């Protein structure tokens, strides 16, 4: 019988999710769902100093917005709970002690002073610090005596000193590490909390995780985890280490720099579906050249063997391209939701009719790539004067322009019913009367009324600006 695929998203609750973290969650979700498997949330809060109030809500909110639903997790526990590591301390302690009994781990009573000295020595010798195994060979009697005396201890993994550990990663292929460079790492800290290095193995095994997908910073420590699986006699999972997502500067995204936070993007009017689509393409590509996919379509076509080894770069411009694509397809109500709050924040809309706002937003649907951009794009509707850049100035030198504008002004003045149709008619009449067409007809009008050479449909723009403003701008001279 085929074992059901189970993957997990295992964030530390730091209250921040940059797009790299989210991309891991997406790949883990796709891996599970493609195989009709389970996708699990596990909260890795063993580093209590990093814990942030409300962070778990934040993780749930983000994943819900992105359509990544969990089959099991702290809020919908299944048969493998608890799903929060700080609630599993007794489990880790039991297994750590079992490992000592089996001879694969040992108690270490070294003081921080001693370890600091070792670290200092390593620094001076310019070698990487590695615990020297000082407590590895304590006798049972010595250990018992120290424990009885209340001396704090950690439990360390006993690494083999010879041989090579090899495993096959689905993305990076064969990884081999010489055992002698593996440190006797701490599994259980003196406060009874496990390290990530221990908890991840215990939990992945007990939770029935079949595919461990996580950042590639764990590629080289995975041999240590495999030794733990072997020591317990457990079956190892399939490893899918994911390439890094770097910022445009080539550096790793980080919380400290506030890099590319999902929530910040969301608040600026990026659509979760577009973000998910773009992130799925960061370090993965389908077999075709298509790029636009819904989450369900991604589930259908996802193949982890197509994950690339090369670090991916988070490119805001590319995200904007995806987002613009999704914005074009939005129904008006949804478009209003991601744009109106930004208009309100930037301008006083109290004198504007609701319909005017709707018309403005619709007019810009094909011209913005994220919600907040509506504010800068529509500034010309909220300013008294327009500014011309050099290109506009240069264009307006054209000889025929004063006549064209004079004729157009006359036709506009005659309009009694201010409709888009009548404005189109005035432009057409100007074409006949002034004997100009194409660029020489539209561009002077556009520049004169909007201060820009590009923009949405001209008659609609003029309509929204209103007769009074347009006539005032037509009559004002910039030269
Ligand atoms: N808690 C780890 C982190 O946030 C997760 C690594 C993993 O997926 O195993 O980096």
């Amino acid at each position: 019988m085929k074992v059901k695929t189970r993957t997990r998203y295992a964030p530390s609750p730091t209250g921040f999710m940059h797009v790299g973290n989210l991309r891991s969650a997406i790949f883990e979700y796709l891996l599970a769902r493609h195989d009709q498997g389970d996708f699990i949330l596990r909260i890795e809060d063993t580093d209590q100093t990093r814990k942030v109030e409300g962070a778990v809500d934040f993780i749930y909110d983000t994943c819900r917005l992105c359509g990544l639903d969990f089959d099991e997790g702290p809020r919908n526990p299944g048969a493998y709970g608890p799903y929060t590591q700080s609630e599993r301390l007794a489990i880790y302690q039991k297994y750590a002690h079992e490992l000592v009994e089996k001879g694969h781990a040992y108690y270490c009573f070294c003081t921080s002073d001693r370890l600091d000295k070792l670290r200092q020595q390593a620094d001076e010798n310019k070698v990487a610090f590695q615990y020297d195994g000082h407590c590895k060979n304590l006798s049972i009697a010595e250990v018992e005596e120290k424990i009885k005396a209340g001396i704090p201890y950690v439990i360390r993994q006993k690494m083999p000193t010879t041989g090579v550990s090899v495993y096959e990663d689905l993305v990076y292929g064969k990884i081999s590490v010489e055992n002698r460079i593996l440190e006797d790492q701490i599994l259980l800290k003196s406060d009874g909390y496990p390290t990530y290095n221990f908890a991840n193995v215990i939990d992945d095994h007990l939770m029935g995780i079949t595919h461990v997908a996580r950042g590639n910073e764990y590629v080289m420590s995975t041999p240590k985890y495999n030794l733990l699986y072997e020591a317990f006699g457990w079956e190892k999972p399939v490893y899918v280490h994911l390439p890094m997502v770097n910022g445009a500067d080539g550096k790793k995204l980080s919380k400290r720099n506030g890099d590319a936070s999902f929530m910040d993007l969301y608040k600026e009017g990026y659509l979760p579906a577009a973000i998910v689509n773009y992130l799925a393409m960061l370090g993965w590509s389908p077999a075709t050249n298509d790029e636009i996919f819904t989450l369900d379509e991604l589930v259908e076509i996802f193949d982890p063997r197509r994950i690339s080894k090369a670090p991916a770069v988070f490119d805001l411009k590319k995200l904007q391209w995806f987002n613009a694509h999704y914005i074009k397809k939005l129904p008006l109500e949804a478009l209003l939701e991601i744009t109106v709050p930004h208009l309100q924040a930037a301008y006083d809309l109290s004198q504007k009719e609701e319909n005017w706002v709707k018309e403005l937003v619709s007019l810009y649907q094909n011209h913005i790539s994220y919600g907040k951009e509506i504010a800068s794009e529509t500034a010309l509707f909220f300013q008294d004067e327009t500014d011309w850049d050099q290109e506009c100035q240069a264009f307006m030198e054209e000889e025929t322009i004063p006549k064209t504008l004079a004729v157009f002004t006359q036709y506009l003045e005659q309009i009694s019913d201010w409709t888009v149709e009548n404005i189109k008619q005035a432009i057409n009449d100007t074409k006949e009367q002034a004997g100009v067409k194409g660029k020489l007809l539209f561009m002077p009008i556009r520049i004169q009324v909007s201060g820009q050479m590009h923009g949405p449909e001209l008659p609609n723009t003029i309509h929204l600006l209103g007769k009074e403003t347009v006539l005032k701008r037509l009559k004002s001279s910039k030269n």
Side-chain angles (χ1 to χ4, degrees), residues 8 10-12 28 42 44 196 200 213-214 217-218:
R8 84 294 190 282
S12 301
E28 288 146 6
R42 180 170 78 225
E44 302 209 325
Y196 168 80
N200 90 84
R214 63 180 163 213
E217 63 265 41
Y218 298 102

Side-chain angles (χ1 to χ4, degrees), residues 390-401:
Q390 273 185 346
E391 220 187 329
C392 289
Q393 304 263 17
F395 189 91
M396 294 303 259
E397 306 280 309
E398 200 64 48
E399 232 177 283
T400 56
I401 288 177

Side-chain angles (χ1 to χ4, degrees), residues 439-455:
K439 222 176 168 183
L440 278 179
L441 169 66
F442 291 102
M443 201 57 98
I445 300 177
R446 184 181 285 286
I447 293 175
Q448 190 75 29
V449 303
S450 75
Q452 294 173 354
M453 295 184 81
H454 309 282

Side-chain angles (χ1 to χ4, degrees), residues 367-472:
H367 295 265
I368 54 170
S369 49
Y370 58 102
K372 194 178 177 185
E373 203 178 17
I374 191 91
S376 54
E377 285 295 300
T378 59
L380 69 111
F381 292 89
F382 301 94
Q383 291 162 342
D384 283 340
E385 298 276 325
T386 58
D387 285 330
W388 297 3
D389 63 14
Q390 273 185 346
E391 220 187 329
C392 289
Q393 304 263 17
F395 189 91
M396 294 303 259
E397 306 280 309
E398 200 64 48
E399 232 177 283
T400 56
I401 288 177
K403 182 174 172 205
T404 308
L405 291 178
V407 172
F408 181 58
T409 307
Q410 267 181 9
Y411 280 118
L412 273 197
E413 271 171 336
Q414 286 164 22
I415 295 179
S416 53
D417 187 9
W418 189 251
T419 62
V420 174
E421 273 316 305
N422 286 340
I423 295 164
K424 271 187 198 159
Q425 189 57 50
I427 298 175
N428 270 332
D429 292 343
T430 305
K431 176 174 160 187
E432 299 302 321
Q433 176 80 26
V436 285
K437 58 182 182 182
K439 222 176 168 183
L440 278 179
L441 169 66
F442 291 102
M443 201 57 98
I445 300 177
R446 184 181 285 286
I447 293 175
Q448 190 75 29
V449 303
S450 75
Q452 294 173 354
M453 295 184 81
H454 309 282
E457 291 76 1
L458 186 56
N460 301 65
T461 306
I462 292 174
H463 180 245
L464 272 171
L465 279 165
K467 191 170 177 179
E468 197 186 324
T469 304
V470 172
L471 286 175
K472 205 170 109 200

